[in-house]
């Protein structure tokens, strides 16, 4: 996936926010997680302020304590649907690879091979990838 700041031979990891992806990339890999799991993970991330944390159980409860969760699901489900529809409609079929999160978990080597082939890259050793996906200097694969 090639962003404006990259030369065409660059592959960059990117988590797109709403509307950011339009016109920025020649090709895209869309990682799709089923909505319930995606919403739970994002709610946990936001509530715990950490990508590895969890929201307290009472945040999911019925009644007043679970109000934030219910609102999050209501709003988040609509955003999940709109985001995926917009990404899919922004690319020609041959320029978009859809990868399902569950398939990536079950068959990581196969799915990563599909991604690399789609991007026109040869498989690389893990040592060839540098940086942290959570920093402003996100990892890039060598051309």
């Amino acid at each position: 996936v090639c962003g404006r700041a990259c030369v065409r031979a660059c592959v960059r990891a990117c988590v797109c926010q709403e509307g950011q992806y339009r016109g920025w990339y020649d090709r895209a890999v869309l990682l799709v997680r089923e909505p319930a799991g995606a919403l739970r993970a994002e709610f946990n991330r936001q509530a715990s302020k950490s990508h590895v944390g969890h929201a307290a159980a009472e945040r999911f409860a019925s009644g007043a304590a679970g109000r934030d969760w219910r609102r999050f699901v209501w709003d988040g489900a609509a955003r999940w649907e709109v985001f995926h529809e917009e990404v899919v409609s922004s690319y020609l079929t041959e320029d978009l690879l859809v990868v399902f999160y569950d398939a990536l978990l079950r068959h990581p080597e196969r799915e990563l091979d599909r991604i690399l082939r789609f991007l026109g890259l040869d498989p690389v050793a893990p040592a060839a990838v540098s940086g942290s996906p959570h920093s402003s200097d996100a990892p890039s694969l060598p051309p």
Side-chain angles (χ1 to χ4, degrees):
V1 179
C2 204
R4 289 182 196 198
C6 293
V7 295
R8 289 210 179 265
C10 174
V11 174
R12 192 110 176 122
C14 175
V15 177
C16 294
Q17 299 298 317
E18 193 171 331
Q20 257 186 339
Y21 43 83
R22 290 188 180 173
W24 281 37
Y25 309 105
D26 296 328
R27 303 186 93 196
V29 176
L30 177 62
L31 180 61
V32 178
R33 186 172 185 183
E34 50 84 23
L39 291 170
R40 260 191 321 277
E42 182 59 14
F43 186 77
N44 280 321
R45 187 191 68 75
Q46 287 183 22
S48 68
K49 298 181 180 8
S50 166
H51 68 280
V52 295
H54 295 279
E58 58 268 9
R59 298 284 303 269
F60 294 96
S62 59
R67 182 179 65 245
D68 291 342
W69 168 242
R70 288 189 303 278
R71 175 170 285 133
F72 186 85
V73 170
W74 184 262
D75 294 341
R79 283 193 315 271
W80 184 96
E81 182 179 17
V82 167
F83 172 79
H84 290 84
E85 286 177 353
E86 286 183 353
V87 171
V88 168
S89 67
S90 294
Y91 291 94
L92 298 173
T93 303
E94 62 269 14
D95 293 330
L96 179 67
L97 177 66
V98 176
V99 176
F100 292 95
Y101 179 80
D102 290 337
L104 185 59
L105 290 179
R106 282 192 310 270
H107 308 288
E109 289 180 3
R110 181 187 73 195
E111 293 302 306
L112 289 173
D113 185 62
R114 278 186 47 210
I115 292 167
L116 291 172
R117 287 178 192 279
F118 170 75
L119 295 173
L121 300 170
D122 292 325
V124 295
V129 179
S130 63
S132 167
H134 302 290
S135 71
S136 59
D137 184 30
S140 294
L141 298 174

